Amino acid sequence: MAGRLWFEWGMNPARDLRRVLLLAVVLGLAGCAASAREMLPGTRLLTGTNDLAFEMVGGIARFLNREGASNTVRRADLWKWNGEKLTLETYVHRFDSNRIRLRERLGLADPRDARGPVTLRHSAAIAGAPAVAPHELARGSGFRAYAVSWTVFRGVEGEGLLLLPDGEPKGDVIAVPDCETTPEQFAGLAPGLQPRQQLARLCAEQGCRVIVPCLVDRGTEPAGVLGLKPTGHSKRETLWRAGYEMGRTVIGYELQRIFAAADWLEQTRRPGTVSWEVIDLLKAGKGSNPPHEFLGIVGHGEGGLLALYAAACDTRFHTTYVSGYFGPKEQLWEQPIDRNVFGLLREFSDAEVGALVAPRTLWLETGQYPEVTQTDAHGGAPGRVTRPDENAITLEFARLQKIAGSVPIGHLHNQPDRFGDYLSRFLFSLTGSNPGVMFEPGSSPELSAKLPNAGERTLRQYRQVLDDTQWLMREGEYARREYWKAAPLQSFSGFTNSSKWYREAFRTNVIGVIPKASVPPDPQTRFLGETNGVRRYEVVLQVHPDVFAHGILCVPVDIKPEERRPVVVCQHGLEGRPTDVSDPAVNSQYYHQYGLRLAERGFVTFAPQNPYIGGTRFRQVLHQAQPLGLTLWSFMIRQHEVLTDWLASQPFVDPSRIAFYGLSYGGKSAMRIPILVDRYCLSICSADYNEWIWKNVSARANYSYLFNNEYDMPEWNLGNTFNYAEMSWLIFPRPFMVERGHDDGVAPDEWVAYEYAKTRRHYVKMGMADRTEIEFFDGPHSIHGVGTFAFLHRHLGWGH
């Protein structure tokens, strides 16, 4: 029509004027119609071209920055001192519950060797020892050195050096080196440290019995499993991954070795006890001959961390010397991942841990810190250790003193050129030697035999812990049975009632809780196009400041007025986007546009953006969340709550028929999100369901996440609480389905079938066998869309 008006212009002026006015009206109406299609009713127009996926990840990081700062304030409320006068003994018991919770956070769940007293033996690895003494390695100024190992629990042992004084011992010390320092270096038997940095040697020269444990280093060779896959990340990260899933930490394993060494020292002392009054006298500078029962611990770098935590967890340590470690923990996520402890910062930073050492003596030397830099170049988590800002150290120490109140605690020394200055005071509090005497190292120790092979020793230490995680993995099935024994698995009403407790435990202890949405959703939409009778809209919904939900809504055009359709939320996988699922221009080999295909069948579909995108960036955001007791799931739960509430409010949606269907990481989402988002009436897990604990922990299977770059996969203590079968029980009684391709490399069919059998048995025993099924198809890691589509039609009551 516009073309005709243009070419006939000028032939009849009056008619031309009428036609110009008509054209204006037509174009105006068309513009109104186009504007109406640019956004959904009741929403604002979404503008801008920013990458919303990466904005989502960045927004969560900013939320966590604020949460970390506010958590510091909340944590202070847990440690308030009301000014009452405390005796030393009452102070200790005042924080007993805090000490128990710290031990739980660190995964200190294993009783040490139940077979009897700790056995310490000379290492069989010593070769070529002369007849000076059996297995004697060296003689120093007033002491002899031996290579030893000692029992801890199961197949885990400690290994390192025993330094014995020539005379009667004045005290016992466990001297813990940095993880990149060998016991021989710490004792002055091997080059690498200056004499004043050889803290184990200095303690032995002053007449103490000293055990120097070996720590697992951060080297990458060999961090995999011999004969199987190698890995580019460190041995400590490998142990962190395997242990985290089973409720254990690298810190916890190292502490157990230290505690077992303390057990042996305690077993071999002369009988006697130490009273708090004796400690009080020493603090006041009275008395110069404390009994040999006194036990001290000293450590540098990673050893300093372990010394602080050991003394906080175990009150047998009467005095503690921490070198090269202390400071605020709010940036814990920037440090090596083996220091990551789930939920630690909810209650503990270094000040709070140090407060648990009181009223015993704590010496802090913060002048020199080991420098550590790890990158993600080889598939591991990046991390760095550097000396904190001087002001930050001072403020953290001030917080420690404020918590301790009237109880004397802590002495801070921060001069980098005066390494070891506090050691004489530490030894005075242990042995009663003159605190004013700054002793110098004696003559260099002389070797009596060939030193142990440090590489072989640390590999033994690594493999023992790795093997223990494999034992825990195998026992996990029985641990989960014990955990679930309160749930009557053959009574519908009984299980439904008890499952509420397990659902909340899953929310709190695995997922982590952030507040419900704090701002209105303020929906913004824009029209993307129409294909095969399906209109597509991009949608953004607000959840918290900086936290939002985003995705693509597909609406069939044939929805009648007053008609309400079922919805299928179609969730992408790792590094995916909503366009992978619902954009006709993107034909992914994994998704096959299944969001569009379902919409063409008459379903409303929504493809959300989940924040597992951006490689190291999103994984570091998760790393930032974990010490706060949070995960990325914490945010996804709240996003999907807002999303499903908004969908339920749409006039074309039946709020009682909103289903979830996810592939790969979206399949992981299908196992977790519907448990805690009640609006989901059904869940389908595609290309992910399997024996999830084996998948994360196994050091034998090539399928294991232990070997690749996905350090985001482990979830705290999941192996003892919730595998995929148990998660499906929390989805019950809602319909649940598994879609599985025979050629899917996520796991073998056998793992999938083994785990699903427990899901199916549960539904059968509850009388709802028709609500669950599994489809195996001859294909790869992808949406198949045959049995699952039929499952959706049947359970959502939508014919096709």
Side-chain angles (χ1 to χ4, degrees):
M1 178 179 180
R4 287 187 60 198
L5 286 170
W6 174 259
F7 287 112
E8 293 177 2
W9 179 260
M11 298 175 64
N12 185 325
R15 182 190 64 192
D16 291 343
L17 179 60
R18 290 194 301 273
R19 288 183 173 180
V20 167
L21 293 174
L22 177 60
L23 176 61
V25 171
V26 170
L27 292 176
L29 290 174
C32 290
S35 177
R37 293 213 314 172
E38 285 180 356
M39 58 187 179
L40 286 170
T43 68
R44 294 193 297 117
L45 181 63
L46 176 63
T47 60
T49 58
N50 292 346
D51 189 326
L52 293 177
F54 286 100
E55 281 197 6
M56 178 182 290
V57 176
I60 291 173
R62 290 190 293 277
F63 180 97
L64 288 170
N65 287 337
R66 294 192 298 273
E67 179 68 12
S70 60
N71 181 69
T72 303
V73 177
R74 290 194 300 269
R75 191 170 62 230
D77 292 336
L78 300 175
W79 294 81
K80 280 185 176 178
W81 176 67
N82 58 16
E84 76 274 23
K85 185 71 175 177
L86 297 173
T87 66
L88 299 178
E89 190 165 3
T90 56
Y91 179 93
V92 172
H93 297 302
R94 171 191 175 210
F95 290 129
D96 278 347
S97 59
N98 305 70
R99 198 183 324 277
I100 291 170
R101 287 193 296 273
L102 177 61
R103 293 178 66 93
E104 290 173 349
R105 293 290 187 195
L106 297 173
L108 292 169
D110 299 288
R112 288 187 296 286
D113 207 319
R115 294 170 295 180
V118 172
T119 301
L120 183 142
R121 61 184 181 274
H122 295 294
S123 173
I126 307 300
V132 179
H135 306 298
E136 181 182 295
L137 284 181
R139 291 197 175 194
S141 181
F143 72 91
R144 292 154 291 149
Y146 300 88
V148 294
S149 61
W150 58 94
T151 54
V152 182
F153 55 72
R154 296 189 285 271
V156 178
E157 294 187 339
E159 193 167 355
L161 297 179
L162 171 65
L163 311 181
L164 293 178
D166 292 337
E168 181 72 16
K170 297 179 181 178
D172 289 335
V173 174
I174 298 176
V176 192
D178 182 61
C179 62
E180 300 302 320
T181 299
T182 68
E184 290 73 27
Q185 290 171 320
F186 214 43
L189 310 188
L193 298 178
Q194 297 298 318
R196 293 194 63 81
Q197 297 173 317
Q198 298 165 6
L199 301 181
R201 168 192 173 184
L202 296 176
C203 291
E205 289 179 345
Q206 296 304 306
C208 295
R209 288 195 304 176
V210 183
I211 289 182
V212 193
C214 166
L215 304 187
V216 176
D217 62 44
R218 292 197 176 95
T220 60
E221 293 296 335
V225 178
L226 299 178
L228 291 174
K229 285 186 176 180
T231 178
H233 51 260
S234 74
K235 292 189 282 293
R236 293 181 75 86
E237 179 173 336
T238 301
L239 298 181
W240 177 86
R241 295 188 190 196
Y244 195 87
E245 189 85 359
M246 302 310 304
R248 305 299 192 274
T249 66
V250 179
I251 293 172
Y253 274 110
E254 305 277 32
L255 287 175
Q256 290 281 32
R257 285 169 163 153
I258 290 170
F259 296 152
D263 293 343
W264 183 84
L265 289 169
E266 193 173 45
Q267 290 166 197
T268 54
R269 291 191 203 126
R270 66 175 185 266
T273 59
V274 177
S275 68
W276 292 108
E277 289 75 15
V278 173
I279 295 178
D280 198 12
L281 287 172
L282 286 172
K283 283 179 174 292
K286 301 173 184 177
S288 58
N289 294 300
H292 172 219
E293 285 84 356
F294 268 24
L295 173 65
I297 186 166
V298 56
H300 178 70
E302 203 68 25
L305 179 155
L306 292 169
L308 182 66
Y309 278 71
C313 291
D314 191 334
T315 58
R316 292 179 299 174
F317 293 101
H318 304 104
T319 183
T320 303
Y321 180 87
V322 174
S323 171
Y325 175 83
F326 186 79
K329 304 292 282 187
E330 277 64 35
Q331 302 303 310
L332 177 60
W333 61 277
E334 294 182 344
Q335 297 181 20
I337 199 169
D338 55 88
R339 290 185 173 186
N340 185 341
V341 176
F342 186 74
L344 179 72
L345 295 185
R346 288 291 187 192
E347 190 170 356
F348 303 98
S349 184
D350 281 353
E352 289 78 16
V353 177
L356 292 179
V357 179
R360 297 158 293 154
T361 310
L362 173 63
W363 305 95
L364 298 170
E365 188 170 76
T366 60
Q368 297 180 17
Y369 285 58
E371 297 286 331
V372 177
T373 300
Q374 295 177 315
T375 71
D376 60 352
H378 301 291
R384 62 187 179 89
V385 175
T386 188
R387 186 177 186 274
D389 175 79
E390 186 66 50
N391 186 56
I393 295 174
T394 302
L395 290 175
E396 189 73 4
F397 183 69
R399 288 202 318 107
L400 187 161
Q401 291 182 309
K402 183 177 180 181
I403 295 168
S406 63
V407 174
I409 179 65
H411 305 270
L412 181 67
H413 172 65
N414 54 16
Q415 298 180 40
D417 58 339
R418 302 290 298 276
F419 191 97
D421 273 11
Y422 268 4
L423 190 63
S424 61
R425 302 188 183 191
F426 162 81
L427 288 169
F428 164 71
S429 61
L430 183 70
T431 68
S433 60
N434 189 340
V437 176
M438 286 299 299
F439 52 82
E440 294 296 326
S443 58
S444 297
E446 295 184 0
L447 297 182
S448 308
K450 182 179 178 182
L451 296 178
N453 185 307
E456 292 178 359
R457 179 178 56 200
T458 195
L459 180 58
R460 284 194 297 273
Q461 297 284 278
Y462 163 74
R463 288 303 301 268
Q464 288 169 10
V465 174
L466 185 62
D467 288 348
D468 193 67
T469 65
Q470 304 310 288
W471 183 88
L472 291 169
M473 177 190 73
R474 293 189 295 272
E475 290 295 308
E477 182 170 348
Y478 306 101
R480 293 191 298 276
R481 287 182 190 176
E482 180 69 16
Y483 182 74
W484 280 83
K485 68 180 182 181
L489 299 180
Q490 297 187 2
S491 164
F492 179 83
S493 60
F495 178 81
T496 302
N497 290 332
S498 64
S499 66
K500 296 175 184 177
W501 182 91
Y502 288 98
R503 189 170 285 107
E504 286 309 305
F506 182 75
R507 181 195 303 274
T508 303
N509 302 331
V510 176
I511 298 299
V513 183
I514 65 170
K516 286 182 174 291
S518 61
V519 295
D522 185 23
Q524 301 172 65
T525 63
R526 61 180 161 211
F527 180 67
L528 297 177
E530 182 177 321
T531 306
N532 296 337
V534 176
R535 294 194 184 109
R536 294 175 293 110
Y537 297 86
E538 188 173 10
V539 180
V540 171
L541 305 166
Q542 302 303 311
V543 180
H544 290 291
D546 288 321
V547 180
F548 60 90
H550 166 240
I552 294 177
L553 175 70
C554 293
V555 183
V557 298
D558 63 350
I559 299 179
K560 300 178 179 61
E562 308 302 323
E563 182 183 12
R564 288 177 174 264
R565 295 277 181 93
V567 180
V568 181
V569 172
C570 302
Q571 189 62 67
H572 64 75
L574 179 66
E575 301 293 343
R577 295 174 180 269
T579 50
D580 296 329
V581 172
S582 295
D583 189 330
V586 178
N587 191 12
S588 166
Q589 61 177 321
Y590 306 111
Y591 303 103
H592 304 299
Q593 301 174 344
Y594 79 108
L596 276 178
R597 301 290 81 80
L598 286 167
E600 290 167 358
R601 288 169 171 252
F603 296 98
V604 175
T605 68
F606 192 96
Q609 177 69 62
N610 272 1
Y612 37 75
I613 186 171
T616 297
R617 175 60 175 144
F618 92 78
R619 293 187 173 98
Q620 286 303 95
V621 172
L622 170 61
H623 193 179
Q624 184 179 0
Q626 287 166 329
L628 295 170
L630 302 174
T631 63
L632 289 181
W633 303 113
S634 310
F635 296 88
M636 287 184 264
I637 295 297
R638 297 311 188 197
Q639 289 170 323
H640 281 255
E641 285 175 344
V642 170
L643 165 62
T644 53
D645 284 347
W646 180 77
L647 286 170
S649 72
Q650 299 308 298
F652 49 83
V653 166
D654 182 347
S656 67
R657 294 186 291 169
I658 303 177
F660 194 103
Y661 181 4
L663 173 92
S664 194
Y665 220 127
K668 296 176 193 13
S669 303
M671 296 307 305
R672 293 159 177 80
I673 293 173
I675 291 175
L676 300 175
V677 178
D678 294 335
R679 283 202 181 274
Y680 285 121
C681 69
L682 172 156
S683 185
I684 298 175
C685 176
S686 177
D688 185 69
Y689 189 101
N690 70 102
E691 219 294 357
W692 183 248
I693 308 307
W694 296 351
K695 173 75 174 170
N696 278 277
V697 183
S698 175
R700 182 67 182 86
N702 285 330
Y703 306 97
S704 177
Y705 283 128
L706 213 56
F707 303 110
N708 65 16
N709 66 342
E710 295 179 73
Y711 58 87
D712 52 299
M713 291 303 177
E715 295 161 278
W716 175 247
N717 202 28
L718 203 66
N720 296 308
T721 52
F722 303 94
N723 204 341
Y724 271 13
E726 289 83 6
M727 291 184 200
S728 71
W729 300 349
L730 296 180
I731 293 172
F732 174 86
R734 294 166 287 177
F736 172 74
M737 183 176 178
V738 173
E739 183 176 50
R740 162 71 191 179
H742 287 308
D743 300 326
D744 193 332
V746 165
D749 285 344
E750 296 85 344
W751 286 17
V752 178
Y754 177 79
E755 189 68 11
Y756 178 74
K758 291 176 278 187
T759 292
R760 177 163 179 77
R761 182 179 64 230
H762 184 75
Y763 276 77
V764 169
K765 292 296 185 181
M766 295 294 172
M768 297 184 179
D770 62 328
R771 293 195 179 188
T772 188
E773 62 183 83
I774 187 170
E775 180 191 34
F776 287 96
F777 65 93
D778 190 13
H781 184 81
S782 69
I783 293 290
H784 186 50
V786 178
T788 51
F789 282 20
F791 191 81
L792 288 167
H793 282 291
R794 182 167 71 256
H795 288 285
L796 294 180
W798 182 252
H800 184 261

